[in-house]
Amino acid sequence: MLQSFFTKNRYTVGSLASIALSLSGTPFLTAEASANTKLPFAGSARVSQSAHGDGYGLRAIDLALPAGTPVLAPADAKVVGTCNAGNNHRAIKLQSGSTFFSLIHVNTPDVFIGKTYRQGQLIGTVAADRPNNACARSTGVHLHFGVSPNAPVVDGINLLNVRFNTTIRSSNVRR
C-alpha cells in the first residue's frame, strides 16, 4: 500500500528523507556533496579551532596535527587554486563536482592547478613553518581544512558544528 502511495504521488524514499531532514532543521545534503568525503588525514586529530572562514570563501576547522603528518585527498578532486607561502608551504583549493575543499599549511612542491588526486592519495605533509603573508597565516603548526557550505558533513561529522578541543576520527586511508 505504501509503495503504491509513493508511486502514485511520485515520491521516493530519498525525497521523503530530505523533506523530513529539512523539517527537522538539519540541513539536507545531496549525495554528491557528502557521499564518501573523508577527512584529509589518517587516524584522529583534535580540533584546535572550530568553524571559521578562509581566504577561499569556505568554512573551515583547524586540526592539531604535527608537522610531517601526511595530508590526504578528501575525495577524488582537482586542484583549482594554489598559493606558495614560502618553502613549499601551500594553500590549496580542490574541487570535487560542485563541492570545494581548502587545505592550508601543506608542505608540497608538487601541486599545480589542474592536477588531480584520488581520494586517499598523498598531497603533501603538514608544514612545519609559520608563514604570515598574503598566502597563509599561522601562529602554530596545524592543518586548516575547509569545505563548501553545501557539503559540511565529512566522515559523518558536520564540520560547521564540531566544537573546539573535540577529537575527531578520519576513515581516510593512504593509497
Side-chain angles (χ1 to χ4, degrees), residues 1 14 31 39 61-62 64 67-68 70 74 80 88 92 108 129 133 136 143:
M1 181 162 175
L39 290 164
I61 60 172
D62 288 346
V80 294
N88 294 317
I92 304 164
T108 180
D129 57 345
N133 57 35
L143 177 65

PDB file of all heavy atoms in Angstrom, residues 1 14 31 39 61-62 64 67-68 70 74 80 88 92 108 129 133 136 143:
ATOM      1  N   MET A   1       0.816  -1.192   0.000  1.00  0.00           N
ATOM      2  CA  MET A   1       0.000   0.000   0.000  1.00  0.00           C
ATOM      3  C   MET A   1       0.869   1.270   0.000  1.00  0.00           C
ATOM      4  O   MET A   1       0.602   2.201  -0.735  1.00  0.00           O
ATOM      5  CB  MET A   1      -0.938  -0.022   1.190  1.00  0.00           C
ATOM      6  CG  MET A   1      -1.837   1.179   1.237  1.00  0.00           C
ATOM      7  SD  MET A   1      -3.213   0.833   2.298  1.00  0.00           S
ATOM      8  CE  MET A   1      -3.972   2.380   2.295  1.00  0.00           C
ATOM      9  N   GLY A  14      14.167   8.895  -0.938  1.00  0.00           N
ATOM     10  CA  GLY A  14      15.127   9.994  -0.817  1.00  0.00           C
ATOM     11  C   GLY A  14      14.452  11.340  -0.660  1.00  0.00           C
ATOM     12  O   GLY A  14      14.861  12.165   0.144  1.00  0.00           O
ATOM     13  N   ALA A  31      23.706  13.715  -2.316  1.00  0.00           N
ATOM     14  CA  ALA A  31      24.642  12.598  -2.298  1.00  0.00           C
ATOM     15  C   ALA A  31      26.016  13.046  -2.786  1.00  0.00           C
ATOM     16  O   ALA A  31      27.032  12.679  -2.232  1.00  0.00           O
ATOM     17  CB  ALA A  31      24.110  11.459  -3.151  1.00  0.00           C
ATOM     18  N   LEU A  39      37.947  12.966   5.915  1.00  0.00           N
ATOM     19  CA  LEU A  39      38.879  13.950   6.454  1.00  0.00           C
ATOM     20  C   LEU A  39      40.244  13.748   5.806  1.00  0.00           C
ATOM     21  O   LEU A  39      40.587  12.628   5.414  1.00  0.00           O
ATOM     22  CB  LEU A  39      38.953  13.811   7.977  1.00  0.00           C
ATOM     23  CG  LEU A  39      37.668  14.256   8.697  1.00  0.00           C
ATOM     24  CD1 LEU A  39      37.639  13.740  10.131  1.00  0.00           C
ATOM     25  CD2 LEU A  39      37.540  15.766   8.668  1.00  0.00           C
ATOM     26  N   ILE A  61      37.808  24.225   9.674  1.00  0.00           N
ATOM     27  CA  ILE A  61      38.264  23.936  11.025  1.00  0.00           C
ATOM     28  C   ILE A  61      39.782  23.784  10.956  1.00  0.00           C
ATOM     29  O   ILE A  61      40.345  23.523   9.898  1.00  0.00           O
ATOM     30  CB  ILE A  61      37.630  22.655  11.620  1.00  0.00           C
ATOM     31  CG1 ILE A  61      37.963  21.419  10.768  1.00  0.00           C
ATOM     32  CG2 ILE A  61      36.127  22.832  11.795  1.00  0.00           C
ATOM     33  CD1 ILE A  61      37.541  20.099  11.393  1.00  0.00           C
ATOM     34  N   ASP A  62      40.435  23.993  12.081  1.00  0.00           N
ATOM     35  CA  ASP A  62      41.863  23.744  12.180  1.00  0.00           C
ATOM     36  C   ASP A  62      42.063  22.471  12.979  1.00  0.00           C
ATOM     37  O   ASP A  62      41.364  22.221  13.969  1.00  0.00           O
ATOM     38  CB  ASP A  62      42.580  24.909  12.874  1.00  0.00           C
ATOM     39  CG  ASP A  62      42.663  26.146  11.995  1.00  0.00           C
ATOM     40  OD1 ASP A  62      42.414  26.037  10.779  1.00  0.00           O
ATOM     41  OD2 ASP A  62      42.975  27.220  12.538  1.00  0.00           O
ATOM     42  N   ALA A  64      44.838  20.020  14.995  1.00  0.00           N
ATOM     43  CA  ALA A  64      46.135  19.978  15.664  1.00  0.00           C
ATOM     44  C   ALA A  64      46.864  18.708  15.251  1.00  0.00           C
ATOM     45  O   ALA A  64      46.824  17.694  15.939  1.00  0.00           O
ATOM     46  CB  ALA A  64      45.946  20.035  17.179  1.00  0.00           C
ATOM     47  N   ALA A  67      53.691  18.561  12.488  1.00  0.00           N
ATOM     48  CA  ALA A  67      54.406  18.748  11.230  1.00  0.00           C
ATOM     49  C   ALA A  67      54.846  17.394  10.708  1.00  0.00           C
ATOM     50  O   ALA A  67      55.260  16.519  11.473  1.00  0.00           O
ATOM     51  CB  ALA A  67      55.617  19.655  11.443  1.00  0.00           C
ATOM     52  N   GLY A  68      54.718  17.230   9.399  1.00  0.00           N
ATOM     53  CA  GLY A  68      55.117  15.979   8.769  1.00  0.00           C
ATOM     54  C   GLY A  68      54.004  14.959   8.642  1.00  0.00           C
ATOM     55  O   GLY A  68      54.174  13.930   7.993  1.00  0.00           O
ATOM     56  N   PRO A  70      51.038  13.112   7.072  1.00  0.00           N
ATOM     57  CA  PRO A  70      50.555  13.054   5.689  1.00  0.00           C
ATOM     58  C   PRO A  70      49.180  13.713   5.526  1.00  0.00           C
ATOM     59  O   PRO A  70      48.284  13.504   6.346  1.00  0.00           O
ATOM     60  CB  PRO A  70      50.471  11.550   5.395  1.00  0.00           C
ATOM     61  CG  PRO A  70      51.434  10.928   6.347  1.00  0.00           C
ATOM     62  CD  PRO A  70      51.357  11.779   7.590  1.00  0.00           C
ATOM     63  N   PRO A  74      40.679  14.399   0.303  1.00  0.00           N
ATOM     64  CA  PRO A  74      39.418  14.038   0.956  1.00  0.00           C
ATOM     65  C   PRO A  74      38.414  13.359   0.017  1.00  0.00           C
ATOM     66  O   PRO A  74      37.477  12.708   0.456  1.00  0.00           O
ATOM     67  CB  PRO A  74      38.873  15.377   1.450  1.00  0.00           C
ATOM     68  CG  PRO A  74      39.488  16.386   0.533  1.00  0.00           C
ATOM     69  CD  PRO A  74      40.818  15.842   0.139  1.00  0.00           C
ATOM     70  N   VAL A  80      42.136  23.586  -8.102  1.00  0.00           N
ATOM     71  CA  VAL A  80      41.629  24.752  -8.836  1.00  0.00           C
ATOM     72  C   VAL A  80      42.247  26.050  -8.330  1.00  0.00           C
ATOM     73  O   VAL A  80      41.984  27.112  -8.883  1.00  0.00           O
ATOM     74  CB  VAL A  80      40.078  24.821  -8.790  1.00  0.00           C
ATOM     75  CG1 VAL A  80      39.473  23.644  -9.536  1.00  0.00           C
ATOM     76  CG2 VAL A  80      39.558  24.892  -7.367  1.00  0.00           C
ATOM     77  N   ASN A  88      57.671  25.928  -0.011  1.00  0.00           N
ATOM     78  CA  ASN A  88      56.669  24.963  -0.461  1.00  0.00           C
ATOM     79  C   ASN A  88      55.513  24.790   0.530  1.00  0.00           C
ATOM     80  O   ASN A  88      54.845  23.777   0.550  1.00  0.00           O
ATOM     81  CB  ASN A  88      57.298  23.607  -0.808  1.00  0.00           C
ATOM     82  CG  ASN A  88      58.194  23.719  -2.005  1.00  0.00           C
ATOM     83  OD1 ASN A  88      57.842  24.373  -2.983  1.00  0.00           O
ATOM     84  ND2 ASN A  88      59.366  23.120  -1.937  1.00  0.00           N
ATOM     85  N   ILE A  92      45.871  25.295  -0.754  1.00  0.00           N
ATOM     86  CA  ILE A  92      45.371  24.554  -1.911  1.00  0.00           C
ATOM     87  C   ILE A  92      43.853  24.549  -1.894  1.00  0.00           C
ATOM     88  O   ILE A  92      43.241  24.322  -0.847  1.00  0.00           O
ATOM     89  CB  ILE A  92      45.874  23.091  -1.878  1.00  0.00           C
ATOM     90  CG1 ILE A  92      47.404  23.047  -1.813  1.00  0.00           C
ATOM     91  CG2 ILE A  92      45.341  22.297  -3.067  1.00  0.00           C
ATOM     92  CD1 ILE A  92      47.955  21.699  -1.406  1.00  0.00           C
ATOM     93  N   THR A 108      54.219  20.840   0.127  1.00  0.00           N
ATOM     94  CA  THR A 108      54.249  20.035  -1.086  1.00  0.00           C
ATOM     95  C   THR A 108      54.821  20.840  -2.236  1.00  0.00           C
ATOM     96  O   THR A 108      54.333  21.906  -2.544  1.00  0.00           O
ATOM     97  CB  THR A 108      52.852  19.493  -1.461  1.00  0.00           C
ATOM     98  OG1 THR A 108      52.965  18.715  -2.647  1.00  0.00           O
ATOM     99  CG2 THR A 108      51.835  20.586  -1.645  1.00  0.00           C
ATOM    100  N   ASP A 129      56.691  25.261   9.161  1.00  0.00           N
ATOM    101  CA  ASP A 129      56.949  26.684   9.357  1.00  0.00           C
ATOM    102  C   ASP A 129      55.648  27.448   9.603  1.00  0.00           C
ATOM    103  O   ASP A 129      54.563  26.911   9.471  1.00  0.00           O
ATOM    104  CB  ASP A 129      57.719  27.266   8.170  1.00  0.00           C
ATOM    105  CG  ASP A 129      57.007  27.057   6.847  1.00  0.00           C
ATOM    106  OD1 ASP A 129      56.074  26.236   6.784  1.00  0.00           O
ATOM    107  OD2 ASP A 129      57.382  27.710   5.867  1.00  0.00           O
ATOM    108  N   ASN A 133      51.781  35.897   5.571  1.00  0.00           N
ATOM    109  CA  ASN A 133      51.782  36.688   4.349  1.00  0.00           C
ATOM    110  C   ASN A 133      50.414  36.583   3.674  1.00  0.00           C
ATOM    111  O   ASN A 133      49.481  36.020   4.241  1.00  0.00           O
ATOM    112  CB  ASN A 133      52.920  36.235   3.422  1.00  0.00           C
ATOM    113  CG  ASN A 133      52.841  34.763   3.082  1.00  0.00           C
ATOM    114  OD1 ASN A 133      51.752  34.210   2.947  1.00  0.00           O
ATOM    115  ND2 ASN A 133      53.985  34.121   2.933  1.00  0.00           N
ATOM    116  N   ALA A 136      49.196  32.696   3.350  1.00  0.00           N
ATOM    117  CA  ALA A 136      48.824  31.918   4.544  1.00  0.00           C
ATOM    118  C   ALA A 136      49.344  32.594   5.797  1.00  0.00           C
ATOM    119  O   ALA A 136      50.417  33.201   5.789  1.00  0.00           O
ATOM    120  CB  ALA A 136      49.386  30.506   4.435  1.00  0.00           C
ATOM    121  N   LEU A 143      46.765  21.845  10.492  1.00  0.00           N
ATOM    122  CA  LEU A 143      46.202  21.729   9.146  1.00  0.00           C
ATOM    123  C   LEU A 143      44.850  22.422   9.151  1.00  0.00           C
ATOM    124  O   LEU A 143      43.999  22.135   9.994  1.00  0.00           O
ATOM    125  CB  LEU A 143      46.016  20.259   8.742  1.00  0.00           C
ATOM    126  CG  LEU A 143      45.365  20.042   7.363  1.00  0.00           C
ATOM    127  CD1 LEU A 143      46.259  20.574   6.242  1.00  0.00           C
ATOM    128  CD2 LEU A 143      45.054  18.569   7.149  1.00  0.00           C
TER     129      LEU A 143
END
